[in-house]
Amino acid sequence: MAQAVIAQPAVARLRGSNARSRRIVDRIATAALWGASSLVVLLLLLFIGFEFYRGASSISWQFLTGSPTAGTAGGGIGPLIFNSFYVLILTLAFTVPISVCAGMYLQEYSAGGRFKAIVQFSAESLATVPSIVMGLFGLLVFVSALHWHFTALGGALTLTLLNLPAMMRVTQEALAGVPGTYREASMACGATKWQTVLKVILPSAIGPLTTGVVLVSGRIFGETAALIYTAGASVSYGRSAYDVNPFHTAETLAVGLYQVHREALVPDVDRIANGSALVLLVMVLVFNVVARVVGRALTLRFTGKAR
Amino acid sequence: MIQSQPAAAPALADKMKIENLDIFYGTFQAMKRANLSVPDRHVMALIGPSGCGKSTFLRALNRMHDLTPGARVEGKVTLDGVDIYAPSIDPVTVRHRIGMVFQRPNPFPKSIFENVVYGAKIHGEKNPKRLAEIAEKSLRAAALWDEVKDRLSRSALDLSGGQQQRLCIARVLAVEPEVILMDEPASALDPIATSKIEDLIGELKRDYTVIIVTHSMQQAARISDFTSFFLLGELIEVGTTSDIFTRPRDKRTEDYITGRYG
Ligand SMILES: Nc1ncnc2c1ncn2[C@@H]1O[C@H](COP(=O)(O)OP(=O)(O)OP(=O)(O)O)[C@@H](O)[C@H]1O
Ligand SMILES: [Mg+2]
């Protein structure tokens, strides 16, 4: 009772004179949050503008398709772009099946027991490994122990390890977004679990799943540290520049960019570096845009509604 | 105890028989010792206040609780005398013979045609001509054919709620089940769509045994031959619909149908 007596005037004071100042604080907070959000957009635009300013003059057909040179100016980055896509596709060929199956198991099959906990924990641990450490692991296993030397395959397998957790999460989230009523309806028609997953759940999740794959692809495309010691840092000399042998060295665009400043023996290092950076940036941005567009289109195609 | 005895006339053959059914969610017992006989090719309505366990009871009849983690069913449920919970029985075949329509229309995000033939395809029918026949037959039986015959390839999600629910009924019919379970199939629909569904149920009982949960006593009175009343996880009384509504034997049933329970 005594407490209530003390509290009474305090409450009254809060309600009365503070109302105005609280409204002002509220406005300031809203403005600050809006400002921070706008800053993100502004920084992105500034950054893109800066890259264009520095790199646009380097871009030419010769630059985009030509091969790197040793010692002389005028080299291109064609094989590096090719290698980036090649390593990406190789990586996806391993990452997507494994992580989609694992994510599907976790989301649709395991009833949340011990095994699920172990798999989740493993994936989360794998996700915290820094990419350079993964690269050194790849060096030990694929390059040294297996005697492959620097290969596209070794790089792709290292990137697979690096990106499995993210792809698994993407799968789990895409499947979790499918309404439970679809599962019930399918089972009530006498479908088995597998038929339900294959015919109803996966098609319904195809949009977010594709978006996730393309977003992860963007990350793979820009990955550097994991590839320096595994896929190698040179477009191997003495073979054709556009090389699909997975057991050959494959310097990607991102690795090339890192490498050109360190040890390139060409006089136009800056031109190549600025141009490469711009191409890399645009590629990764394209991945992001494509992810959204394709995801939306597939969702529309398979589910007949826009998300 | 006498109230729990099925009041169905003895001449009718039982399609399903439920004996001493207990259902648990974890440690919570949601259904206690339920006994019920469902005669072949009739409509059995399940009524009772919200939360009394009607859906819980219904979902035990085609083993949908298998999909709910933590749910446990004890007792006996037979279809044509065979216990559907026997270890040798595959729940997938049970659901093939006992179809289910849910409270909210839940068509797949596919075309109308793909929705209807889903079950047939699942069970191995590949012939496009046969599939087209199945689609037409099922949609006609669900009183939807005339409304959708020109747009079978359109998304099912573009249909109205009432049309979607009839599509879901067509989808179940296409599987050719023997029993159809319906959990408040009209509760999300307007009066016109509801009366279409009710007419449809009247048609269906010529070929199927229908067990339907409904919140509306008028609806139960209109469409069912038998009615069972549930309260607080127990099956209180079952009898012919006219008996239940005109001379219930249990005081609690009387209180409910005269509106004393809300
Ligand atoms: N998955 C579940 N886990 C735990 N308890 C549940 C679950 N489903 C239902 N219950 C509980 O079981 C009881 C019966 O629920 P049920 O859904 O069968 O009622 P109902 O008669 O269908 O009600 P309504 O008319 O509102 O649909 C309720 O107390 C409910 O809270
Ligand atoms: Mg219910």
Side-chain angles (χ1 to χ4, degrees):
Chain A
M1 206 57 212
Q3 245 177 352
V5 172
I6 297 166
Q8 203 58 37
V11 169
R13 231 184 0 230
L14 270 179
R15 281 211 197 101
S17 60
N18 268 8
R20 221 173 76 91
S21 70
R22 282 199 303 170
R23 223 173 22 242
I24 293 172
V25 169
D26 192 51
R27 289 230 184 94
I28 294 175
T30 309
L33 299 180
W34 183 86
S37 313
S38 313
L39 192 63
V40 173
V41 179
L42 193 70
L43 284 176
L44 178 70
L45 290 178
L46 268 177
F47 175 65
I48 294 175
F50 178 71
E51 289 297 327
F52 266 92
Y53 168 72
R54 298 234 304 169
S57 61
S58 310
I59 306 297
S60 67
W61 185 247
Q62 163 61 25
F63 179 68
L64 291 177
T65 57
S67 290
T69 52
T72 56
I77 57 168
L80 305 188
I81 297 178
F82 171 80
N83 283 338
S84 285
F85 279 105
Y86 182 62
V87 169
L88 169 64
I89 287 166
L90 217 51
T91 306
L92 290 181
F94 296 112
T95 312
V96 171
I98 298 174
S99 48
V100 167
C101 289
M104 195 144 72
Y105 179 82
L106 291 188
Q107 196 62 32
E108 298 293 325
Y109 284 81
S110 77
R114 204 197 198 104
F115 183 62
K116 178 171 182 174
I118 293 175
V119 177
Q120 294 269 36
F121 180 75
S122 309
E124 275 154 27
S125 308
L126 208 55
T128 62
V129 177
S131 58
I132 184 69
V133 175
M134 204 62 95
L136 291 173
F137 173 78
L139 176 72
L140 287 178
V141 175
F142 305 118
V143 179
S144 304
L146 293 175
H147 296 294
W148 289 356
H149 300 290
F150 294 141
T151 59
L153 184 62
L157 289 173
T158 309
L159 287 182
T160 299
L161 278 174
L162 201 58
N163 288 288
L164 269 181
M167 268 313 298
M168 242 170 76
R169 265 251 76 83
V170 161
T171 308
Q172 279 183 270
E173 269 159 29
L175 296 180
V178 178
T181 55
Y182 293 170
R183 294 179 183 84
E184 285 195 331
S186 173
M187 301 301 269
C189 284
T192 62
K193 184 104 193 195
W194 179 237
Q195 287 172 323
T196 301
V197 167
L198 211 58
K199 301 263 160 78
V200 178
I201 312 279
L202 268 185
S204 306
I206 199 78
L209 210 51
T210 310
T211 306
V213 170
V214 182
L215 286 177
V216 171
S217 297
R219 267 178 43 184
I220 295 173
F221 200 88
E223 178 56 44
T224 316
L227 288 177
I228 296 169
Y229 301 121
T230 53
S234 79
V235 179
S236 55
Y237 298 103
R239 66 184 173 93
S240 80
Y242 297 92
D243 189 339
V244 291
N245 188 331
F247 286 101
H248 284 172
T249 307
E251 184 181 33
T252 64
L253 190 57
V255 173
L257 179 58
Y258 164 78
Q259 205 67 1
V260 75
H261 267 306
R262 280 184 75 231
E263 52 187 44
L265 300 171
V266 291
D268 52 352
V269 165
D270 281 340
R271 185 187 67 90
I272 293 176
N274 292 339
S276 302
L278 179 58
V279 172
L280 193 58
L281 176 70
V282 169
M283 288 290 189
V284 173
L285 286 177
V286 164
F287 272 109
N288 278 301
V289 174
V290 165
R292 277 163 222 292
V293 174
V294 172
R296 208 167 296 160
L298 279 174
T299 302
L300 201 66
R301 160 98 176 64
F302 274 90
T303 69
K305 64 167 183 211
R307 277 217 180 150
Chain B
M1 200 57 217
I2 194 126
Q3 296 93 333
S4 295
Q5 291 308 307
L12 296 169
D14 286 337
K15 185 68 185 176
M16 293 193 80
K17 208 163 156 65
I18 294 98
E19 292 168 65
N20 293 326
L21 190 69
D22 290 320
I23 306 170
F24 302 85
Y25 293 113
T27 54
F28 171 67
Q29 184 162 10
M31 185 54 55
K32 296 176 203 90
R33 306 251 120 197
N35 287 281
L36 182 67
S37 294
V38 184
D40 196 15
R41 286 162 218 252
H42 284 76
V43 177
M44 167 71 77
L46 314 181
I47 62 169
S50 186
C52 66
K54 305 178 296 290
S55 301
T56 299
F57 179 84
L58 193 73
R59 292 166 66 88
L61 305 189
N62 68 340
R63 295 192 60 168
M64 285 308 269
H65 286 303
D66 291 14
L67 313 181
T68 315
R72 201 169 83 248
V73 177
E74 285 169 12
K76 206 165 156 192
V77 177
T78 59
L79 174 68
D80 290 335
V82 178
D83 186 358
I84 63 169
Y85 281 95
S88 60
I89 300 289
D90 179 0
V92 170
T93 41
V94 169
R95 296 189 204 110
H96 189 173
R97 294 178 61 190
I98 308 177
M100 188 163 202
V101 177
F102 299 84
Q103 179 166 0
R104 302 216 148 263
N106 56 358
F108 299 129
K110 298 170 184 279
S111 70
I112 295 171
F113 181 81
E114 286 300 324
N115 263 281
V116 185
V117 301
Y118 179 75
K121 277 191 170 174
I122 286 296
H123 296 110
E125 183 61 64
K126 288 198 189 72
N127 182 341
K129 203 163 145 275
R130 274 290 300 146
L131 288 173
E133 284 166 15
I134 291 171
E136 176 169 352
K137 187 167 154 234
S138 311
L139 286 168
R140 278 191 193 283
L144 188 60
W145 174 251
D146 291 329
E147 288 161 65
V148 301
K149 60 173 187 252
D150 300 322
R151 46 170 174 160
L152 291 176
S153 58
R154 293 268 297 278
S155 170
L157 302 181
D158 294 343
L159 296 173
S160 74
Q163 290 172 325
Q164 287 188 3
Q165 193 62 302
R166 276 178 284 149
L167 178 63
C168 292
I169 294 174
R171 182 173 65 187
V172 165
L173 297 182
V175 182
E176 303 193 320
E178 297 154 45
V179 179
I180 301 176
L181 311 176
M182 299 186 173
D183 194 348
E184 303 188 43
S187 69
L189 307 180
D190 65 45
I192 294 174
T194 300
S195 89
K196 280 192 178 160
I197 300 273
E198 288 182 5
D199 292 347
L200 175 57
I201 291 167
E203 293 287 316
L204 289 179
K205 74 174 178 182
R206 271 193 277 160
D207 299 308
Y208 306 91
T209 303
V210 178
I211 306 176
I212 178 170
V213 172
T214 172
H215 247 120
S216 148
M217 280 180 278
Q218 292 83 344
Q219 185 172 67
R222 281 195 298 267
I223 61 175
S224 69
D225 304 298
F226 301 93
T227 296
S228 33
F229 171 63
F230 290 75
L231 186 67
L232 296 172
E234 280 183 80
L235 203 174
I236 304 295
E237 180 172 355
V238 49
T240 63
T241 298
S242 61
D243 279 353
I244 291 283
F245 282 104
T246 54
R247 43 193 138 86
R249 280 164 304 177
D250 195 288
K251 177 81 171 59
R252 291 165 291 182
T253 314
E254 190 182 337
D255 286 348
Y256 182 71
I257 60 160
T258 53
R260 246 164 280 173
Y261 278 115

